[in-house]
Amino acid sequence: MPSLLIKNIGNLVNTRSSNELLRGDKLAVLPCINNAYVIVEDGMIVGYGTMEELNHSKNVIPENSFDAKGGMVLPCWCDSHTHIVFAASREEEFVDKLKGASYAEIAAKGGGILNSARKLAATSEEVLFQQALKRLDEVSRLGTGAIEIKSGYGLSVESELKMLRVIKRLKQQSNLSIKATFLGAHTYPEIYKENHQGYIDLIINEMLPVIAAEKLADYIDVFCEQGFFSQEETTVIVEAGKQYGLKPKIHANQLHLSGGVQEGVALGALSVDHLETMDQAAISTLATSDTIGTLLPGAAFFLRMNYPPARNLIGEGCAVALASDYNPGSCPSGNMNLVVSLACIQMKMLPEEAINAATINGAFAMELQKEVGSISIGKIANLIITPQLPSLAYLPYAFGTNPVEKVMIRGEWIN
Ligand code: NIG
Ligand code: FE
């Protein structure tokens, strides 16, 4: 691939010469360069600076150029929490809820995660793969360049492995950077409702050894929540996963003070995700740990729940990332532009904070900070190009409008 110069960039956003997980006041510091250029070679960022510097440069300037015409260039979004392998949407439950059905009534009708699991069991690996590939294409056009994908709609040995094999194929097929998370402990399947130990044994003795042998996962996740997996059950499952080298990322404190945050931190989790329900003890524990708090405002929006207390988390020094939670039950959207808007509108994050949380901190939440998450020499050329915009704050402000004009993944334009 010949090298490419992207010139006349109005604002080149999130330029960094080193990687640091951002917490506290640092989250609001977003380094940018006005009137800038970027040079891309072999899918990597090899140079950037001001147009002024380019004009005085003695280095060879690529013949191929793209004129950004004053638009902004950002690093692609790093979406560190999704469930994009699923067999069917669940808008019928959505309508039932609009009509007043409760969570329990929906569950009694076979709804929720178990509904997705039934449909997934009846769908072939090939069909699941094609559907998920389409969703990857959809989110990449909205600016996502790196993504974490969970299993968890399988809930049987066969179906969990099927999901993880789909994710493995996505890794091989897609230009996006992908991390796979084993979420066998998403809920108890019907037949193990009264026999939790039976399902935990299945996870530990039947699923994990195959996952390790086929290298199907990077991380292990547990839905630590009342009515799902207790703190004790979470520990047993995560410890077993760690034996196979899987680091934990935990669904914590979504509906209740589940103890998931403290448990996740104690288990050395890379991230604890959701955090809609927090108290001072959970915030303090997270703030003094290396664990990232991943906020999913799309899920709180869709479920009409309280949003995570982002201002308190940031104020107390927690490292915060933003992700979509794209899934058919609690957030049927993978649009990270909207996630960034919701973070500002509903959680009062500043535009700079939200962009950092959705790029560099999201990259850290997938251990991909050396590859993606900022405009840095040697990182993959995953770039979002916008039209000329009044300012950076216009991005979250103009919610629901698509600010993405073009996307480059690994040095290739995808649209
Ligand atoms: O992250 N909280 C648990 N799991 C998913 C949603 C599950 C579903 O309803 O399909 C989430 O919100
Ligand atoms: Fe989730």
Side-chain angles (χ1 to χ4, degrees), residues 135-144 147 176 326 334-335:
R135 289 180 198 119
L136 273 187
D137 181 63
E138 175 209 347
V139 296
S140 63
R141 285 167 194 277
L142 291 165
T144 296
I147 193 166
L176 274 73
Y326 192 177
N335 187 342

Side-chain angles (χ1 to χ4, degrees), residues 49-84:
T50 63
M51 287 302 289
E52 175 86 36
E53 287 161 356
L54 180 74
N55 294 334
H56 294 107
S57 164
K58 295 194 175 62
N59 295 338
V60 186
I61 297 168
E63 270 174 39
N64 264 333
S65 73
F66 172 82
D67 191 338
K69 294 188 180 136
M72 288 202 276
V73 172
L74 298 95
C76 282
W77 306 123
C78 297
D79 189 353
S80 63
H81 182 139
T82 81
H83 311 244
I84 63 159

Side-chain angles (χ1 to χ4, degrees), residues 4-7 9 12 36-40 44-49 73 375 381 383:
L4 174 75
L5 166 70
I6 304 177
K7 62 184 181 185
I9 300 167
L12 180 63
Y37 74 92
V38 172
I39 296 175
V40 173
M44 313 293 271
I45 297 168
V46 297
Y48 66 85
V73 172
I375 305 294
L383 308 174

Side-chain angles (χ1 to χ4, degrees), residues 13-31 45 74-80 143 145-146 249 270-271 290 292-294 319-323 336 340 349 351-377 379-380 382 384:
V13 179
N14 212 350
T15 54
R16 294 181 184 275
S17 53
S18 64
N19 289 313
E20 184 188 348
L21 178 63
L22 304 172
R23 53 177 85 233
D25 292 344
K26 285 194 176 167
L27 191 63
V29 181
L30 183 65
I45 297 168
L74 298 95
C76 282
W77 306 123
C78 297
D79 189 353
S80 63
K249 281 168 79 71
L270 177 60
S271 67
D290 292 330
I292 298 166
T294 299
V320 161
L322 285 169
M336 285 293 286
V340 167
M349 287 176 71
E352 292 82 1
E353 291 175 326
I355 291 169
N356 273 328
T359 54
I360 186 66
N361 277 12
F364 269 94
M366 296 184 275
E367 297 176 297
L368 287 173
Q369 68 275 10
K370 291 196 181 130
E371 286 176 34
V372 293
S374 63
I375 305 294
S376 307
I377 308 276
K379 284 199 181 181
I380 296 170
N382 284 357
I384 294 172

Side-chain angles (χ1 to χ4, degrees), residues 81 83 251 274 325:
H81 182 139
H83 311 244
H251 276 75
H274 272 290
D325 201 17

Side-chain angles (χ1 to χ4, degrees), residues 81-83 90 93 97 103 111-114 116 150 152-153 183 186 221 223 225 228 251-252 254-255 273-274 276 296 299 303 325-331:
H81 182 139
T82 81
H83 311 244
R90 302 207 318 247
E93 285 177 22
K97 280 193 212 157
Y103 182 84
I113 296 168
L114 294 175
S116 285
K150 299 174 196 295
Y153 291 126
L183 177 59
H186 200 184
D221 195 343
F223 188 17
E225 181 58 60
F228 293 83
H251 276 75
Q254 181 182 14
L255 310 172
D273 303 28
H274 272 290
E276 283 87 340
L296 313 165
L303 299 177
D325 201 17
Y326 192 177
N327 77 76
S330 65
C331 188

